[in-house]
Amino acid sequence: MLKTIFILGTGFLLTALCMLSISEAAVIAVDYGTNWFKVGLVKPGIPLDIVLNRDSKRKTPSVLTIRGEERIYGTDAVNLGARFPFNTYLSLKQIIGRLADDKYVQAYQSVFPNKIIPDPLRGTILFQHNETTVFSIEELLAMQLSYARELAEATAHESIKDVVITPQYHIFYDMGAGSTKASLISFKTVEMKDIGRFNKTVINMDVISIGYDRTLGGQEIDIRLRSYFAEKFDKTYEGKLKESIIKSPRAMTRLLKEANRVKQILSANTETVASLENLHEERDFRLAITRSELETMITDLIKRVNGPIQDVLNNAKMTLADVNSCVLVGGGVRVPAIQSTIKDIVGEDKIAQNVNGDEAAVLGAAFRGAGLSRQFKVKEIKIKDIASYPIKVDYESELKESEDGTMNTKTYRTILFDEYTSVGTRKIMSFKRTSDFNFSINYGNLNENILKDFGPTDIAAAKITGLSDIVKKHNDNGIEQPKLKVTLQLSDSGIVSVIDAVATIEHQTISDKIRTFFGVNNNKSDEALKEVPFSDESAPPDNASQPVPGENDTQTNDTEQIQKKIESIPLNLEVEYLGIKPMGFNEKDAAIRRLRTMDETDRRRRAREEARNNLESFVYNLQDFLSDQIVIKVSTDKQRKELAAKSSETSEWLYEEGEDAPIESLLTRLNSLRLLEKPIVYRRDEHARRPEAVNAIQSAINSTREFVEKIKGNTTVERYHTDEELDKLLNVCNKIEKWLDEKLTEQNKIEPYVDPVLTTVEIERMLREIEREFLIVATKRPPKRKATPSATTDSESTNNVNNTDSDQKSTTTQVVKESPTHEEL
Ligand SMILES: *[C@@H]1O[C@H](CO)[C@@H](O)[C@H](O)[C@H]1NC(C)=O
Ligand SMILES: *[C@@H]1O[C@H](CO)[C@@H](O)[C@H](O)[C@H]1NC(C)=O
Ligand SMILES: *[C@@H]1O[C@H](CO)[C@@H](O)[C@H](O)[C@H]1NC(C)=O
Ligand SMILES: *[C@@H]1O[C@H](CO)[C@@H](O)[C@H](O)[C@H]1NC(C)=O
Ligand SMILES: *[C@@H]1O[C@H](CO)[C@@H](O)[C@H](O)[C@H]1NC(C)=O
Ligand SMILES: *[C@@H]1O[C@H](CO)[C@@H](O)[C@H](O)[C@H]1NC(C)=O
Ligand SMILES: *[C@@H]1O[C@H](CO)[C@@H](O)[C@H](O)[C@H]1NC(C)=O
Ligand SMILES: *[C@@H]1O[C@H](CO)[C@@H](O)[C@H](O)[C@H]1NC(C)=O
Ligand SMILES: *[C@@H]1O[C@H](CO)[C@@H](O)[C@H](O)[C@H]1NC(C)=O
Ligand SMILES: *[C@@H]1O[C@H](CO)[C@@H](O)[C@H](O)[C@H]1NC(C)=O
């Protein structure tokens, strides 16, 4: 019995651990682009790789169609796009985080037919999906990201990808669908001390500088091609059309898709034909186009290719000669004219060929994710990213009397994080002020060129209060003016936030008096002093962490002890983050509820499909079941006929009304079939298991008896079991043996198609009873030997007797040892 428990236990543990590693250890990375998204996955035991989507493709169109309660993603959504242009959402990345009146949003609206309305509270984008439903752009994006997660959860994976990087300078030229970015990156291998006496090799990856063209991208090419096609179409049917093709969202959506296809074909061929049947007002579209025609349409775009490269070099004060290679990333660089322009600029020999540009970003992100998660051993890469824009703080001085006797303030503007500050940096601003004040944080020193595309430059407005009160109190107590320290952070994601504001007071005072100095806040300020005494680099030297008042209480005496103390008191800090406001609580709540409802609908649809599959496979497998020899033995003709009839009726129903039947009808049908099947299955299983169970209990009885005999018959060892105990165990054996014999006789008299009188459940119960009684006897410990004057104090010797109790323990520990070792990457 113990063995059975042990196996069950092990099995359970294994299952539990596997589930843990699936749900907790996997890291996924999503490279969400304007046209496509890619999903990377790292999981213990599975190499870093791209997740395949349901079409076994490595990238999925960033497209979503919502039809009724159903959501359709990727290629299927692209295909539905032409039929349901208003309910299909494309290229959302171009406008996420923008205000509805932004010029990019206007440009988007001229391309896509979806109806955009401004969010009344935030000014951001809402889509009027139909008369009754509005989706925020955030919700639509959330749906696609959770779909990406589903893909990662569902997909199987392929072979290892080695990432090989040499330390050097590289330009990553990334032209996506909507924007282009060049980054100059240096890789260095650095030897670092690892644990113990070992060195480890770490790759330092530093982003040196960045160059942008925020509107240069592959999609602009599609749009131009489409305009060209539309113009040609209108011209071809001039005078025959009721209205221009431009007025038909459906036709324009199809035309955009065709433009993208033609662009891709022209990347590998010099000419092709654009062709769409029944495009607009029942007229077909057919047009031959050459690569050079396409290139003349985009000459101005090609001229802009160089911009980001020059910017990145200028910013880094380097020349192309310093750069080892240029890695082309993103879909945009596939266009031959663009690729050859880059080759002309940097030199063909510097174009890195070994990187799959389209996938580099998501693999990198997955790699980074794995590094951050601490669950994985990845080759260590230290990454230093930088802020792309300088960030400054504006504030006004306190009122001061100027030379002419008037009271004035002065405005200060200080660059806090300059353009190439590493992300993940904290700064402390120190002020000498005596009253509450405010300051603002914004992007500063932007040139005209950047400003024109930039949108709002304000980041946050902060207000500090509580200072005036403290100063007033201090004045009353004759203590020095406080200093004010405000901590700001540029997060790893490049987001600026105000962490805290504290007033610090340095005073020479009597230690005990400090405790009551701030009255009600007494406890708090003590804590603050312990927790945050200037943990930052720019703080004054460490004298701040002097003994906390009170620690030395036992030493204070009548002679008052003078100490120098620095105390920090948190101030009230209100920060309003400007720019795009986060979703309000109610909106977020409503969005979450709506997404849950849709998820629930998805879940119900899947549950229904599952119920249907179960019913189908029941019907399908029934014939096999009914022709099984044991089943025939343990059931009557009548029972089998009834089941067969019900099953064939269900089969007919399934392919008629059952096609659209609700889950409840499917489940009811399955249940009524199972109800007929169940007693037969029960008898079949009992029939199969009974002999084994009978054998098990008989041998348990036999070995228990042998065990008792052995104890009774052993004369070499002093016996410590009483006859009573041993007889009780034997009696249990006899009683159960008698029960078994009777039941067996009875069972042998009845037909196999009648429910058994001797069941395996009962046998199991009896087996437990024997086991319980057996353990009482077997685990009894011998009495401790009385210590005699002549004996040594060693009473442990009695423990030399082997007992089953400790056997049992070792079995239990084994279960724990069974846990599998964690797989590593
Ligand atoms: C509007 O769209 C939602 C979501 O697709 C859907 O649930 C609802 O039934 C639609 N309403 C109408 C009137 O079509
Ligand atoms: C470890 O690296 C240091 C330099 O950082 C070097 O001097 C030393 O020799 C290295 N030790 C080993 C064992 O490689
Ligand atoms: C910030 O303070 C200045 C004066 O110091 C004042 O003019 C301005 O209105 C204040 N702004 C806020 C948001 O309180
Ligand atoms: C200080 O803290 C103690 C317990 O931590 C509490 O009982 C006491 O009321 C607090 N005093 C003040 C002034 O907050
Ligand atoms: C810090 O304390 C040391 C001695 O403990 C003293 O020499 C030094 O001047 C102090 N520094 C400051 C800034 O008070
Ligand atoms: C108490 O103060 C003395 C000097 O003022 C110092 O040397 C000692 O470490 C302090 N004790 C504690 C427990 O902080
Ligand atoms: C009180 O403290 C002072 C300085 O710490 C010390 O010199 C003096 O001996 C102490 N007096 C008593 C009575 O403990
Ligand atoms: C139990 O013992 C009896 C009699 O000694 C023997 O006939 C029988 O085969 C044994 N059964 C098992 C399962 O060991
Ligand atoms: C009696 O028990 C002892 C200790 O368990 C064992 O070593 C010995 O072999 C047994 N003798 C017989 C006759 O079973
Ligand atoms: C305990 O059991 C082991 C193996 O089962 C045996 O070698 C050893 O002699 C036993 N010790 C005693 C004290 O019975």
Side-chain angles (χ1 to χ4, degrees):
M1 277 318 282
L2 279 174
K3 194 159 182 233
T4 316
I5 294 166
F6 166 71
I7 291 166
L8 274 176
T10 319
F12 174 74
L13 256 174
L14 271 172
T15 320
L17 281 168
C18 292
M19 272 158 33
L20 276 181
S21 60
I22 288 164
S23 59
E24 285 183 7
V27 171
I28 75 164
V30 181
D31 175 13
Y32 186 82
T34 304
N35 288 338
W36 303 92
F37 69 83
K38 281 145 257 168
V39 184
L41 179 87
V42 193
K43 215 178 105 176
I46 288 180
L48 163 66
D49 203 358
I50 302 279
V51 167
L52 300 185
N53 68 16
R54 305 233 153 102
D55 308 323
S56 301
K57 294 274 162 52
R58 299 167 77 81
K59 58 181 185 177
T60 307
S62 305
V63 182
L64 163 69
T65 304
I66 304 179
R67 296 270 304 135
E69 292 294 308
E70 197 175 352
R71 287 169 292 176
I72 303 108
Y73 301 90
T75 315
D76 293 342
V78 172
N79 293 335
L80 287 173
R83 278 168 61 204
F84 309 110
F86 295 100
N87 297 342
T88 299
Y89 300 92
L90 298 97
S91 300
L92 294 179
K93 189 185 173 183
Q94 282 186 319
I95 50 169
I96 183 110
R98 299 219 173 251
L99 297 174
D101 57 7
D102 183 296
K103 65 177 183 188
Y104 291 101
V105 179
Q106 284 159 13
Y108 182 91
Q109 280 192 282
S110 70
V111 177
F112 299 104
N114 312 78
K115 190 166 172 1
I116 290 178
I117 52 174
D119 182 319
L121 297 171
R122 301 161 63 215
T124 51
I125 296 162
L126 298 178
F127 286 97
Q128 185 80 52
H129 181 70
N130 58 23
E131 309 87 79
T132 51
T133 307
V134 169
F135 289 113
S136 68
I137 187 167
E138 289 87 352
E139 279 174 278
L140 296 173
L141 203 72
M143 291 177 194
Q144 295 186 56
L145 291 178
S146 39
Y147 178 70
R149 186 178 54 196
E150 266 176 45
L151 286 181
E153 280 166 358
T155 316
H157 310 279
E158 296 172 348
S159 59
I160 295 195
K161 274 226 158 32
D162 276 336
V163 183
V164 182
I165 319 170
T166 40
Q168 287 169 345
Y169 289 107
H170 301 271
I171 288 178
F172 283 76
Y173 191 89
D174 177 0
M175 186 184 287
S179 67
T180 299
K181 182 176 178 181
S183 319
L184 183 68
I185 307 214
S186 84
F187 292 97
K188 286 192 209 88
T189 337
V190 185
E191 288 260 295
M192 278 178 71
K193 243 185 107 62
D194 201 357
I195 304 155
R197 61 202 166 77
F198 299 105
N199 280 354
K200 61 180 176 182
T201 314
V202 171
I203 297 171
N204 262 342
M205 182 186 126
D206 289 356
V207 181
I208 312 277
S209 68
I210 290 172
Y212 260 120
D213 187 325
R214 293 187 163 264
T215 53
L216 177 64
Q219 185 151 44
E220 181 62 22
I221 302 174
D222 299 359
I223 292 168
R224 296 211 180 167
L225 252 184
R226 180 175 76 167
S227 306
Y228 175 74
F229 289 166
E231 200 181 298
K232 287 280 178 190
F233 182 89
D234 279 355
K235 197 151 200 167
T236 308
Y237 298 107
E238 205 167 5
K240 296 174 187 159
L241 296 174
K242 279 190 230 115
E243 59 175 6
S244 160
I245 186 170
I246 294 170
K247 301 275 193 228
S248 161
R250 203 191 127 168
M252 289 302 273
T253 308
R254 285 181 70 197
L255 213 48
L256 186 63
K257 205 179 142 196
E258 180 66 2
N260 181 274
R261 192 186 70 87
V262 164
K263 179 184 78 176
Q264 287 181 22
I265 292 176
L266 288 180
S267 293
N269 302 275
T270 51
E271 55 182 38
T272 185
V273 175
S275 165
L276 288 168
E277 277 177 28
N278 193 9
L279 176 61
H280 179 53
E281 296 183 7
E282 301 183 1
R283 290 176 198 280
D284 298 342
F285 173 63
R286 220 180 134 73
L287 182 72
I289 179 164
T290 64
R291 187 191 284 177
S292 61
E293 278 176 296
L294 172 65
E295 283 170 7
T296 46
M297 280 175 225
I298 56 168
T299 41
D300 60 319
L301 298 182
I302 290 170
K303 278 191 197 131
R304 281 159 63 186
V305 164
N306 192 17
I309 300 178
Q310 288 314 317
D311 283 355
V312 86
L313 290 171
N314 292 345
N315 288 339
K317 301 187 175 60
M318 288 170 78
T319 66
L320 272 172
D322 302 319
V323 174
N324 299 79
S325 84
C326 178
V327 180
L328 302 183
V329 185
V333 295
R334 297 235 172 116
V335 175
I338 288 174
Q339 210 172 85
S340 70
T341 308
I342 300 173
K343 279 181 186 164
D344 289 347
I345 297 166
V346 301
E348 178 141 19
D349 55 319
K350 282 192 181 168
I351 300 287
Q353 300 290 4
N354 55 352
V355 178
N356 177 347
D358 220 17
E359 291 177 355
V362 69
L363 285 176
F367 201 69
R368 174 94 172 117
L372 289 176
S373 88
R374 293 178 188 187
Q375 303 243 22
F376 301 93
K377 262 191 187 160
V378 296
K379 188 161 183 136
E380 199 169 339
I381 298 191
K382 289 234 184 287
I383 296 172
K384 182 176 152 253
D385 205 351
I386 55 176
S388 308
Y389 301 104
I391 291 160
K392 69 178 169 53
V393 170
D394 296 354
Y395 60 94
E396 295 197 343
S397 68
E398 299 191 299
L399 275 174
K400 275 210 182 88
E401 198 174 336
S402 62
E403 280 164 17
D404 60 7
T406 56
M407 300 294 279
N408 280 320
T409 64
K410 206 177 147 198
T411 303
Y412 289 93
R413 298 207 156 83
T414 311
I415 295 286
L416 189 67
F417 299 107
D418 70 22
E419 204 161 351
Y420 296 120
T421 303
S422 301
V423 298
T425 305
R426 278 189 179 199
K427 288 256 170 103
I428 296 183
M429 298 193 295
S430 295
F431 300 91
K432 277 193 179 152
R433 304 185 73 112
T434 55
S435 56
D436 295 351
F437 76 113
N438 59 27
F439 62 89
S440 69
I441 306 171
N442 47 59
Y443 291 108
N445 296 13
L446 298 174
N447 68 37
E448 290 291 307
N449 213 9
I450 292 178
L451 265 177
K452 101 179 138 41
D453 288 334
F454 203 81
T457 55
D458 289 336
I459 297 170
K463 196 168 158 190
I464 289 170
T465 52
L467 181 62
S468 307
D469 288 350
I470 288 168
V471 169
K472 188 168 172 294
K473 251 183 204 160
H474 279 249
N475 283 340
D476 294 349
N477 288 280
I479 305 236
E480 270 186 51
Q481 288 302 350
K483 287 198 188 89
L484 179 64
K485 291 181 189 299
V486 179
T487 310
L488 293 101
Q489 172 173 280
L490 183 63
S491 78
D492 284 338
S493 309
I495 292 168
V496 184
S497 53
V498 188
I499 305 287
D500 66 4
V502 292
T504 65
I505 306 128
E506 189 179 291
H507 37 194
Q508 299 202 330
T509 186
I510 300 134
S511 60
D512 243 14
K513 281 197 176 167
I514 284 178
R515 314 210 73 227
T516 49
F517 196 79
F518 293 106
V520 184
N521 272 339
N522 179 16
N523 286 358
K524 262 193 200 151
S525 55
D526 271 9
E527 270 167 33
L529 199 60
K530 274 182 216 161
E531 280 171 16
V532 274
F534 312 108
S535 55
D536 270 280
E537 61 282 315
S538 60
D542 221 40
N543 295 7
S545 52
Q546 277 185 0
V548 173
E551 260 182 26
N552 250 333
D553 270 0
T554 48
Q555 296 198 354
T556 48
N557 58 20
D558 292 342
T559 320
E560 286 171 338
Q561 200 174 344
I562 306 292
Q563 286 186 345
K564 198 173 167 190
K565 291 208 161 55
I566 294 180
E567 188 146 6
S568 55
I569 306 150
L571 298 172
N572 297 330
L573 176 67
E574 288 166 46
V575 186
E576 187 191 356
Y577 291 95
L578 307 166
I580 303 285
K581 287 191 176 48
M583 273 177 134
F585 177 79
N586 289 338
E587 289 73 38
K588 210 185 256 178
D589 196 48
I592 288 170
R593 259 188 283 133
R594 183 156 51 186
L595 291 182
R596 286 219 182 108
T597 309
M598 296 185 98
D599 286 345
E600 177 58 22
T601 312
D602 279 353
R603 200 193 57 72
R604 274 207 306 270
R605 197 177 59 238
R606 279 197 293 266
R608 187 195 167 274
E609 277 159 18
E610 195 187 322
R612 205 189 135 85
N613 283 344
N614 287 345
L615 188 56
E616 252 176 354
S617 59
F618 185 97
V619 170
Y620 181 80
N621 291 324
L622 191 73
Q623 208 48 52
D624 279 349
F625 177 77
L626 290 180
S627 52
D628 181 274
Q629 284 311 307
I630 297 174
V631 167
I632 291 172
K633 206 169 171 182
V634 299
S635 59
T636 60
D637 270 357
K638 185 168 166 278
Q639 288 165 342
R640 289 196 299 278
K641 275 193 181 127
E642 196 183 353
L643 191 49
K646 189 135 200 145
S647 167
S648 76
E649 184 220 313
T650 303
S651 172
E652 273 167 34
W653 175 84
L654 253 178
Y655 300 105
E656 285 160 23
E657 307 115 86
E659 204 72 70
D660 305 310
I663 184 167
E664 289 76 17
S665 328
L666 293 163
L667 290 177
T668 311
R669 295 239 162 204
L670 186 59
N671 277 345
S672 64
L673 281 168
R674 288 237 164 102
L675 217 60
L676 291 179
E677 180 205 40
K678 206 175 156 190
I680 305 176
V681 169
Y682 169 68
R683 287 195 295 273
R684 181 193 64 186
D685 292 349
E686 284 291 302
H687 182 87
R689 287 191 213 131
R690 196 181 308 118
E692 203 182 315
V694 168
N695 194 53
I697 198 164
Q698 277 173 342
S699 66
I701 292 169
N702 283 2
S703 33
T704 304
R705 281 182 182 147
E706 267 171 42
F707 171 75
V708 174
E709 298 292 306
K710 250 201 190 126
I711 294 175
K712 281 187 169 170
N714 196 327
T715 46
T716 47
V717 176
E718 201 182 318
R719 187 144 72 85
Y720 57 87
H721 287 103
T722 63
D723 282 345
E724 207 180 9
E725 285 164 348
L726 296 175
D727 289 346
K728 189 172 172 228
L729 181 55
L730 285 179
N731 283 341
V732 171
C733 287
N734 294 341
K735 182 193 83 182
I736 288 175
E737 192 177 43
K738 183 160 173 278
W739 168 86
L740 185 68
D741 287 346
E742 282 168 13
K743 285 282 182 181
L744 269 174
T745 314
E746 221 178 312
Q747 178 63 39
N748 289 337
K749 277 191 206 143
I750 61 171
E751 296 292 347
Y753 51 79
V754 176
D755 281 353
V757 287
L758 175 61
T759 66
T760 51
V761 172
E762 268 180 305
I763 296 174
E764 193 102 319
R765 197 163 50 80
M766 293 301 175
L767 197 53
R768 293 233 176 83
E769 190 177 338
I770 297 177
E771 183 191 62
R772 198 168 54 236
E773 295 297 328
F774 171 84
L775 284 177
I776 291 171
V777 175
T779 59
K780 185 181 179 190
R781 289 165 176 281
K784 285 198 175 161
R785 215 179 282 163
K786 278 174 203 129
T788 57
S790 64
T792 57
T793 52
D794 177 24
S795 61
E796 298 297 310
S797 56
T798 53
N799 283 354
N800 283 346
V801 180
N802 285 339
N803 66 48
T804 38
D805 189 27
S806 61
D807 283 351
Q808 193 186 350
K809 265 187 200 144
S810 69
T811 316
T812 339
T813 21
Q814 232 173 326
V815 176
V816 179
K817 277 188 205 149
E818 275 305 302
S819 60
T821 50
H822 222 60
E823 285 172 282
E824 279 167 348
L825 193 72

